[in-house]
Amino acid sequence: MPNPSRDALIARLPKAELHLHIEGSLEPELLFALAQRNGVDIPFASVEAVRAAYSFSNLQDFLDIYYQGMSVLQTEQDFFDLTWAYLERAAEDTVRHVEIFFDPQGHTERGVAFETALDGIERALKAGEVELGISYRLIMCFLRHLSEEEAFATLDQAKPHLHRIHGVGLDSSEVGHPPAKFQRVFAKARELGLHVTAHAGEEGPPEYVYEALDLLEVERIDHGNRALEDPALVQRIADEGLTLTVCPLSNLRLCVIKQIGESPVRRMLELGLKATVNSDDPAYFGGYINDNFRAIADALDLTEAEIVKLAENSFTGSFLPMADQIQHLAEIAEVAGGR
Ligand code: HPA
Ligand code: ZN
């Protein structure tokens, strides 16, 4: 049930977004504009036709369109425009900190230099810090449908830029590409001082979540829905205090759940898991972070205390230093208490 007082709380609460693919924030309008600017052919006649194509039955359906969409991103300015548009939108949702993913292999595979993507994204993130007050971390994902060798090559490309990249992640087609495939690459990334996270348990079984923990030694689990099928795994995630970056509207659009009321967020909180709410690929899944909050708040009739907890988890699950986390928690307490 909609609840105006709860919506007002969601609108005002400071929050961090920990699961956002910057390429997935490419709105159809910008996709069209960039296609024109760069003379890239796209198989859509209008913005409406693009939106109409955003109907997916599973993760792979989406990924096919997502990689196609990326083809319009060619220059440093394109990556800046993409990232800046996201940050401006995030600021409207009182997002104070973002830890965004980018997919370098989605670009280098098309002949766009690693640095072109990195420079444009980083320039916008730095501007966002100054002009919008949004701090950031940048996480480079390996595409898991590609080989271990290609992931190593990507890590090599990142090496001159390790002061600009804070972590590695693992995304793309999950089933058939278990975390074990990237054990050595992740070991190397950890050795280089990078944070590590991985998509696990979105479509893949609980065993993939175990592998992410045991073999990749991840600090967070992206999605993690299917971990709930295994009580021992749930206990372990709770005991280790690991954060889960859940994406409700993504889950709905990719048919991970049949209706928004099936979102595991409330259940995770009840089980003592550190769930967070995120938008994943907002241009494709019909909503930014506050849309995700409102969708589950309405469907699950979340209490204000639960919403506050989710906002708190977004900072305590971030890669921010403790002092910064504490500052954000104090700001949350102020907003939540001053009602
Ligand atoms: N899952 C896996 N890979 C992705 C996703 C996702 O939700 N979004 C972009 N790449
Ligand atoms: Zn994702």
Side-chain angles (χ1 to χ4, degrees):
M1 288 280 289
N3 174 332
S5 148
R6 196 171 50 197
D7 287 354
L9 176 66
I10 292 169
R12 291 187 58 211
L13 268 182
K15 51 191 80 73
E17 179 143 57
L18 305 180
H19 186 153
L20 182 284
H21 302 264
I22 196 62
E23 297 90 343
S25 72
L26 178 59
E27 291 287 348
E29 290 78 8
L30 184 58
L31 185 146
F32 252 80
L34 295 182
Q36 270 193 338
R37 185 156 101 188
N38 295 324
V40 175
D41 267 341
I42 49 168
F44 302 105
S46 64
V47 164
E48 291 69 35
V50 180
R51 282 201 202 282
Y54 291 178
S55 164
F56 318 110
S57 337
N58 53 44
L59 174 59
Q60 193 59 51
D61 262 8
F62 155 69
L63 289 169
D64 293 342
I65 295 251
Y66 169 79
Y67 294 124
Q68 200 172 56
M70 275 185 208
S71 66
V72 303
L73 298 166
Q74 304 261 335
T75 68
E76 191 264 4
Q77 186 65 42
D78 299 341
F79 286 92
F80 174 89
D81 291 345
L82 170 73
T83 308
W84 184 251
Y86 163 68
L87 290 168
E88 282 197 309
R89 184 64 189 77
E92 288 174 21
D93 284 1
T94 54
V95 170
R96 302 276 194 261
H97 176 71
V98 296
E99 302 198 349
I100 71 172
F101 298 126
F102 79 117
D103 283 330
Q105 290 162 292
H107 312 303
T108 53
E109 265 192 328
R110 313 181 274 114
V112 174
F114 184 95
E115 287 75 14
T116 302
L118 175 61
D119 291 352
I121 293 168
E122 187 194 48
R123 182 160 64 89
L125 289 169
K126 282 185 181 298
E129 212 161 30
V130 175
E131 294 178 38
L132 304 169
I134 299 177
S135 55
Y136 74 90
R137 296 290 183 272
L138 183 56
I139 303 172
M140 159 182 118
C141 281
F142 300 114
L143 298 183
R144 67 203 301 162
H145 67 276
L146 300 179
S147 69
E148 179 196 38
E149 190 186 351
E150 287 163 298
F152 265 118
T154 304
L155 189 56
D156 277 340
Q157 286 178 313
K159 275 188 189 153
H161 309 292
L162 288 183
H163 54 296
R164 309 165 66 192
I165 295 170
H166 307 94
V168 298
L170 186 63
D171 66 0
S172 192
S173 324
E174 186 179 10
V175 174
H177 303 285
K181 181 173 164 187
F182 298 95
Q183 182 173 2
R184 289 180 291 201
V185 186
F186 270 64
K188 184 70 193 168
R190 280 186 281 106
E191 205 181 290
L192 291 169
L194 292 163
H195 285 292
V196 291
T197 183
H199 284 52
E202 180 183 20
E203 287 187 343
E207 289 69 33
Y208 284 24
V209 181
Y210 277 110
E211 284 189 15
L213 297 177
D214 293 329
L215 307 182
L216 306 187
E217 300 183 34
V218 294
E219 297 163 79
R220 285 203 294 254
I221 297 162
D222 297 314
H223 295 296
N225 299 56
R226 292 195 60 192
L228 296 189
E229 294 170 21
D230 185 325
L233 180 56
V234 167
Q235 194 57 53
R236 176 160 170 205
I237 295 169
D239 290 347
E240 294 184 13
L242 287 167
T243 295
L244 302 166
T245 63
V246 184
C247 306
L249 290 172
S250 163
N251 286 168
L252 181 67
R253 292 298 192 95
L254 299 185
C255 306
V256 169
I257 54 178
K258 287 193 284 296
Q259 45 193 4
I260 197 70
E262 289 176 23
S263 171
V265 170
R266 144 92 46 67
R267 203 145 40 98
M268 287 173 173
L269 292 178
E270 286 171 350
L271 289 164
L273 303 180
K274 279 184 57 176
T276 61
V277 174
N278 306 272
S279 67
D280 206 4
D281 301 281
Y284 293 89
F285 300 147
Y288 286 79
I289 191 166
N290 284 2
D291 298 312
N292 276 271
F293 266 95
R294 278 192 301 270
I296 55 166
D298 292 351
L300 305 173
D301 202 21
L302 293 184
T303 65
E304 297 201 349
E306 285 170 321
I307 288 162
V308 169
K309 181 74 185 161
L310 290 165
E312 289 172 346
N313 287 349
S314 74
F315 290 107
T316 58
S318 76
F319 297 140
L320 281 170
M322 189 65 79
D324 293 357
Q325 293 184 20
I326 289 169
Q327 226 170 2
H328 287 294
L329 295 182
E331 205 194 330
I332 288 176
E334 212 170 287
V335 170
R339 292 163 50 73

